[in-house]
Amino acid sequence: MRSIKQHIVIAVIVISSALTGVAFSQKPTIAPAPNGITLPTDYKDWRVIATSHRTDNNTLRVILGNDIAIQAAREGKTNPWPEGTILAKLVWKDTQHEKWPTATIPGDFVHAEFMIKATEKYATTGGWGFARWLGMEQQPYGKEADFVKECFDCHTPVKANDYVFTRPVSLP
Amino acid sequence: MRSIKQHIVIAVIVISSALTGVAFSQKPTIAPAPNGITLPTDYKDWRVIATSHRTDNNTLRVILGNDIAIQAAREGKTNPWPEGTILAKLVWKDTQHEKWPTATIPGDFVHAEFMIKATEKYATTGGWGFARWLGMEQQPYGKEADFVKECFDCHTPVKANDYVFTRPVSLP
């Protein structure tokens, strides 16, 4: 039978664990993709490479790039993209602007998806690592590491463009 | 009558001026807007606030913001936007993606336009200074300083949103 002191020690441990859990839940870490790729921490601060509007699934997109990608885009050296390139595609559902009905603008956030160039590491998928996180909760997409087959298959039509759909925008 | 020496001095001055002219023409400065606003030098490096697709004039847009604007957008403090905010709207003509026909992507660059928040300085136009530069040559838009009347009139429907059409995107 436990003493009063033992009961107090156990109670303190239980309460401490609960509080630690609360603290963690306030700063949730984003789970990695099933292939081990982790979410780039600073992607929302990256610079713009392009935008697009898909009418087959009614989404607006902004494509950002890390510093390596931006330099390559501005120098026109994107076929192939250099090692270390990361492209981020941010996707929102279409909505109409309430004061300008012919303007389609971003509504609910759908997902953020990434292509990471590492030719040897990702040799079986064109030299690109693929990953996607869904929604505002940033749940990793896919159940097994082979989810990337779906990504890669879809990108095969642009094999001649280093498997990348995005064309960097013209800028003065 | 001039001496040989005087002729040589004049010739050197003329040639130097010509060379200086050539040097300047290699790095053209962008003319200010008719209201005196100068093109922000680093706007292409600013971070993303939103995107939009206008089907009334078939253009895709990316809206960027300076650091003050980005902080305000992320904190949801955009009505009114803070003093010193600069919003940049980059506009391209629609084109279709050759490998994904239901995707509209940016084609030719149309213009870059700006809204600069300085409540007292621009009191007659809602506290915003307006400016636009056309095309890859970045020719300032408007002939006289009152070109901003056109900008301001167009933005009047969104007076209740601090005269700004753009809604910052949702991001995780």
Side-chain angles (χ1 to χ4, degrees), chain A residues 115 125-128 130 152 155-165:
Chain A
M115 290 178 69
T125 47
W128 291 98
F130 294 87
F152 186 56
H155 280 256
T156 301
V158 284
K159 180 180 179 180
N161 196 44
D162 196 19
Y163 297 98
V164 174
F165 282 101

Side-chain angles (χ1 to χ4, degrees), chain B:
Chain B
M1 202 175 158
R2 288 174 181 143
S3 68
I4 295 287
K5 195 173 172 184
Q6 282 174 319
H7 275 290
I8 290 172
V9 168
I10 290 166
V12 167
I13 291 169
V14 169
I15 291 168
S16 301
S17 304
L19 288 174
T20 308
V22 168
F24 272 114
S25 73
Q26 285 172 341
K27 283 191 180 179
T29 50
I30 309 300
N35 56 352
I37 293 177
T38 54
L39 181 68
T41 52
D42 56 349
Y43 71 92
K44 284 176 273 189
D45 291 330
W46 292 353
R47 289 170 284 173
V48 169
I49 290 184
T51 183
S52 65
H53 185 203
R54 272 180 59 182
T55 53
D56 52 329
N57 64 7
N58 302 318
T59 55
L60 276 165
R61 289 113 186 285
V62 168
I63 299 90
L64 308 177
N66 66 355
D67 288 346
I68 294 172
I70 292 293
Q71 185 177 342
R74 292 182 180 182
E75 293 177 353
K77 297 178 179 173
T78 62
N79 199 5
W81 289 81
E83 293 293 305
T85 289
I86 309 181
L87 303 174
K89 190 175 278 178
L90 313 184
V91 181
W92 296 268
K93 289 301 288 181
D94 284 359
T95 189
Q96 299 314 119
H97 197 294
E98 60 182 25
K99 297 289 186 185
W100 198 286
T102 53
T104 303
I105 60 172
D108 291 340
F109 181 74
V110 179
H111 64 240
E113 57 193 18
F114 297 83
M115 290 178 70
I116 301 170
K117 188 68 179 279
T119 303
E120 293 199 11
K121 185 174 182 180
Y122 303 117
T124 60
T125 48
W128 291 98
F130 292 87
R132 175 188 283 172
W133 284 266
L134 305 176
M136 296 296 277
E137 305 76 21
Q138 301 201 282
Q139 291 295 315
Y141 179 80
K143 290 182 178 174
E144 309 288 343
D146 67 358
F147 81 92
V148 296
K149 188 178 182 307
E150 178 190 343
C151 313
F152 186 57
D153 285 352
C154 186
H155 280 256
T156 300
V158 283
K159 180 179 178 180
N161 196 45
D162 196 19
Y163 297 98
V164 174
F165 282 102
T166 299
R167 270 61 166 163
V169 291
S170 296
L171 279 173

